Amino acid sequence: MALSLLNILHFRNIDNACLEFSPHINFIVGPNGCGKTSVLEAIYYLSRGRSFRTQLATRIIQYERPKLVLFGKIEDANTLELPLGVSRERSGKIEIQIGGVKGQRVAKLAQELPLQLINPEGFELITGGPKFRRAFIDWGMFYSQPKFYQIWQRIKRINKQRNVLLKAQADYSHIKIWDEELSNLTEEITRWRREYVIIIAQKVISICHSFLPEIELNFSFYQGWERHVPYKEYLIKHYARDMQLGYSFGGSHKADLKIKALGIPVEDILSRGQLKLLMCALRLAQGQYLTETTGKQCIYLIDDFASELDMSKRALLVQTLQNINAQVFVSCIHPKQMEEMYTSESKVFHVKHGKIILEK
């Protein structure tokens, strides 16, 4: 599966562009500020219905334009095409079409076009708060467990209702009915997350045998409360504390992935280059597992390819990407930075002042 076509209209500094991509490696080349990251952002937007750079639609829609429009086609191994479309108005209203059918949900869009982003801000996955690693785990859950998204949404709604009751100082008899369902759903989602972390950790360690052979990594999953305590018992035990706080302190919303090297958190011991390779290994492992379990290929967006990595480490990343035969979009400033990745099947797009030209 690959993104074969992308039409961009009024997105950032790109007024209008029609791009036909290679199913292998595509290079987006140009100086800083020219709009090359905007091409990656547009692909991301077509998959997620949102940007990885801002939450404000007004910053993405081109100046004095009423809305942005993105249209793409994804092609499977049998050359069957599926059209996807996203438009967003300045008011924030979004319209999604899949296969020509309007009124689709963002979750359905993401199912059709799975992708991973590797960019300079991606260090947050390792050095940021638990929400980044929780989102990493839940990306995998979304694709590997069909019921995950529905249950995750239900847990969010129940927690919201529970917090309202806690702030109102409600008697536990009024909260108990919510806790029954919440505990069952939380135990289920936690079991899925734990099993997924075990699998992904093994794949990351395998990739890191090449990327970081000098580092012995250890992964552990924190479920969000005491490991051997059933969540129902935990809620009852800490009801008074939650009442005082006005919200549920522990639970699946506090889950985290702990990564250590030599018993020390990796962010305290690894260099910037090593952290980037670990971040890449995490993303690549997820994509590989997605393909193994669903048959879908994951698309990779790599912004500022050369940053933080020397030539030998870039070569390792390139070799891994080529081995998994995934579609890749790479932005870089100088053509020389992509020499080790270029093949006869690659395409090179030059970006200047929002204009995008395919290299012949």
Side-chain angles (χ1 to χ4, degrees):
M1 185 199 74
L3 181 65
S4 59
L5 173 75
L6 177 65
N7 289 344
I8 306 173
L9 186 66
H10 308 326
F11 190 95
R12 295 282 189 183
N13 66 335
I14 303 172
D15 183 60
N16 193 352
C18 180
L19 309 174
E20 294 184 11
F21 297 124
S22 164
H24 303 287
I25 300 179
N26 299 272
F27 300 97
I28 318 297
V29 183
N32 288 329
C34 69
K36 60 183 183 295
T37 299
S38 297
V39 177
L40 302 186
E41 186 182 13
I43 298 171
Y44 188 94
Y45 210 101
L46 186 63
S47 169
R48 304 287 182 88
R50 59 182 174 86
S51 165
F52 60 79
R53 299 165 75 184
T54 180
Q55 296 182 355
L56 302 176
T58 53
R59 293 185 179 178
I60 304 169
I61 301 171
Q62 200 171 42
Y63 182 64
E64 293 187 341
R65 299 292 189 177
K67 64 180 181 179
L68 65 85
V69 180
L70 300 170
F71 173 80
K73 289 183 180 179
I74 54 177
E75 190 175 288
D76 65 16
N78 299 315
T79 68
L80 296 175
E81 290 186 336
L82 178 69
L84 307 175
V86 177
S87 66
R88 186 179 286 274
E89 300 176 3
R90 287 192 173 276
S91 64
K93 180 182 178 182
I94 187 170
E95 179 70 41
I96 296 172
Q97 293 189 40
I98 300 175
V101 180
K102 296 182 179 181
Q104 299 292 310
R105 295 181 178 272
V106 172
K108 178 63 175 174
L109 199 63
Q111 280 283 2
E112 299 294 348
L113 190 62
L115 59 78
Q116 290 281 4
L117 172 68
I118 298 173
N119 67 345
E121 290 72 39
F123 286 102
E124 290 177 334
L125 173 58
I126 302 169
T127 62
K131 69 176 183 178
F132 297 103
R133 291 175 294 281
R134 195 161 53 247
F136 169 83
I137 298 171
D138 289 348
W139 186 95
M141 293 291 90
F142 177 77
Y143 291 104
S144 63
Q145 291 291 346
K147 294 182 179 180
F148 170 79
Y149 185 71
Q150 179 182 354
I151 292 176
W152 178 76
Q153 290 277 53
R154 181 60 180 163
I155 288 174
K156 286 179 65 177
R157 287 193 290 268
I158 295 175
N159 266 322
K160 185 177 180 179
Q161 181 61 42
R162 189 176 195 269
N163 290 345
V164 169
L165 293 171
L166 289 169
K167 289 176 182 177
Q169 303 289 297
D171 185 81
Y172 188 70
S173 60
H174 298 291
I175 296 177
K176 183 178 180 181
I177 188 171
W178 296 103
D179 282 4
E180 290 283 348
E181 184 180 3
L182 179 60
S183 59
N184 290 334
L185 296 177
T186 298
E187 293 285 0
E188 185 168 21
I189 211 173
T190 298
R191 176 172 56 82
W192 288 343
R193 282 172 166 174
R194 182 178 293 109
E195 291 171 353
Y196 182 76
V197 166
I198 291 171
I199 294 170
I200 289 301
Q202 292 172 343
K203 292 186 174 299
V204 174
I205 290 171
S206 177
I207 293 172
C208 284
H209 283 160
S210 297
F211 281 14
L212 298 166
E214 71 278 14
I215 303 296
E216 184 176 342
L217 296 170
N218 176 262
F219 293 79
S220 62
F221 173 65
Y222 172 63
Q223 63 185 16
W225 75 97
E226 290 94 326
R227 172 70 187 272
H228 299 293
V229 178
Y231 192 53
K232 184 176 180 180
E233 292 182 13
Y234 175 87
L235 290 173
I236 295 171
K237 179 181 178 181
H238 295 288
Y239 159 68
R241 181 195 60 188
D242 289 351
M243 176 84 73
Q244 186 175 11
L245 292 171
Y247 61 88
S248 304
F249 181 78
S252 59
H253 58 287
K254 290 292 185 73
D256 195 5
L257 172 62
K258 309 285 188 179
I259 311 175
K260 294 184 178 181
L262 303 175
I264 301 171
V266 289
E267 61 269 28
D268 295 334
I269 194 172
L270 300 188
S271 68
R272 291 277 294 181
Q274 289 173 321
L275 286 172
K276 180 162 186 176
L277 286 170
L278 174 56
M279 182 260 290
C280 291
L282 287 160
R283 299 297 186 191
L284 289 167
Q286 279 201 314
Q288 288 180 358
Y289 185 65
L290 170 73
T291 303
E292 290 172 9
T293 54
T294 69
K296 292 184 177 181
Q297 275 286 0
C298 181
I299 293 172
Y300 292 90
L301 308 180
I302 306 178
D303 192 20
D304 197 5
F305 171 68
S307 69
E308 314 292 346
L309 299 179
D310 60 28
M311 187 175 296
S312 63
K313 297 301 185 184
R314 291 205 302 268
L316 284 172
L317 177 56
V318 169
Q319 186 61 53
T320 304
L321 287 167
Q322 291 174 339
N323 288 343
I324 63 177
N325 197 33
Q327 187 180 32
V328 183
F329 296 84
V330 181
S331 76
C332 56
I333 297 174
H334 301 294
K336 285 187 177 181
Q337 294 173 335
M338 66 187 189
E339 287 178 348
E340 61 265 41
M341 296 185 75
Y342 189 84
T343 70
S344 59
E345 297 175 314
S346 300
K347 284 190 175 182
V348 181
F349 298 87
H350 291 272
V351 186
K352 187 174 183 180
H353 304 307
K355 303 294 182 182
I356 307 168
I357 300 172
L358 173 65
E359 183 178 282
K360 301 299 185 180

